[in-house]
Amino acid sequence: MAKFRFRLEAALRLAERSLEEQQRLLAQEIQKHFSLQKACQDQENVWQFALQGQEEACRTSPQDLGLWQSFTQKQIELLRYIAEEVSQQEKVVTQQRQRLLEAHQDTEKLKKLKEKQRAVFNLKEQRREQAVLDETGQIMFGRRSSL
C-alpha cells in the first residue's frame, strides 16, 4: 500500500512554528502588561501617599507644603506616564492576539487541507485495492470455469 504524502508538510510545519512563536510573544506581551499594571498601581499608591503628606503639611507644617506639592506633582506626572504605557501595552497585546489568531487560522487551514487530502488518498487507495481484488476474483473465476 502506498504511503500518504502531504505536499505542503513543510508549510504546515512552518505554520505550526509560527503559531508557537506567536503564542510565546503573546505570553511575553501579557507579562509586560501585567508588570506595567503593577507599576501603575504602585505609583498610584505613592501618589496617594503624596496627597496625604500634602494634606498633613497643610494642617501641621505649612513651611513644608511647597515640597509636598512639588513631590505630588512629580508623582502624578509619573502616574500619567505609566498609565499611558499601560494603554500602549494594551494595544500591543491586542495586536499580538490578532497575529496569534491569524497564525492559528493558517495552521488550521493547512491541517484541514491535509486531512481532506488524506481522506481522498485513502479513498483512492481503497478503490485501487478493490479493483485489484476484483481482477483477482475474475481471474480465479475464469480459471475455475475453464477447468
Side-chain angles (χ1 to χ4, degrees):
M1 183 170 166
K3 185 177 178 188
F4 173 72
R5 287 190 47 135
F6 183 53
R7 292 184 311 140
L8 299 175
E9 191 67 39
L12 177 58
R13 283 195 308 272
L14 287 174
E16 288 172 342
R17 277 194 211 132
S18 174
L19 178 62
E20 290 171 3
E21 177 68 14
Q22 296 303 324
Q23 288 171 333
R24 187 182 61 74
L25 290 173
L26 178 60
Q28 288 175 346
E29 296 299 339
I30 288 173
Q31 182 62 38
K32 185 176 179 183
H33 182 254
F34 177 76
S35 297
L36 285 170
Q37 283 180 324
K38 177 78 170 97
C40 190
Q41 289 172 350
D42 293 345
Q43 184 58 40
E44 188 170 349
N45 291 339
V46 171
W47 176 63
Q48 290 295 329
F49 171 75
L51 286 175
Q52 290 172 355
Q54 185 177 343
E55 186 178 311
E56 186 67 29
C58 283
R59 282 191 229 127
T60 60
S61 55
Q63 68 275 11
D64 294 337
L65 183 58
L67 292 172
W68 279 105
Q69 286 176 333
S70 176
F71 181 66
T72 302
Q73 186 62 36
K74 296 277 186 205
Q75 296 310 309
I76 191 68
E77 288 172 9
L78 190 54
L79 178 60
R80 287 181 183 144
Y81 175 76
I82 294 173
E84 180 61 30
E85 283 186 351
V86 169
S87 177
Q88 291 297 321
Q89 188 61 28
E90 286 173 356
K91 292 176 186 175
V92 170
V93 168
T94 300
Q95 291 171 349
Q96 187 58 41
R97 281 192 174 122
Q98 183 62 36
R99 286 192 288 269
L100 175 62
L101 177 63
E102 291 169 3
H104 180 69
Q105 289 172 342
D106 290 344
T107 303
E108 286 302 310
K109 285 178 193 176
L110 287 170
K111 284 181 179 179
K112 286 180 182 180
L113 179 61
K114 181 178 181 177
E115 288 308 312
K116 284 181 182 179
Q117 287 183 1
R118 184 186 308 275
V120 168
F121 173 82
N122 287 339
L123 183 61
K124 285 181 181 179
E125 194 63 24
Q126 287 173 353
R127 286 182 180 162
R128 187 189 63 76
E129 288 176 0
Q130 188 61 45
V132 168
L133 290 174
D134 289 347
E135 185 178 337
T136 303
Q138 287 175 355
I139 290 171
M140 289 179 71
F141 179 74
R143 285 186 182 167
R144 285 186 187 163
S145 297
S146 63
L147 290 176

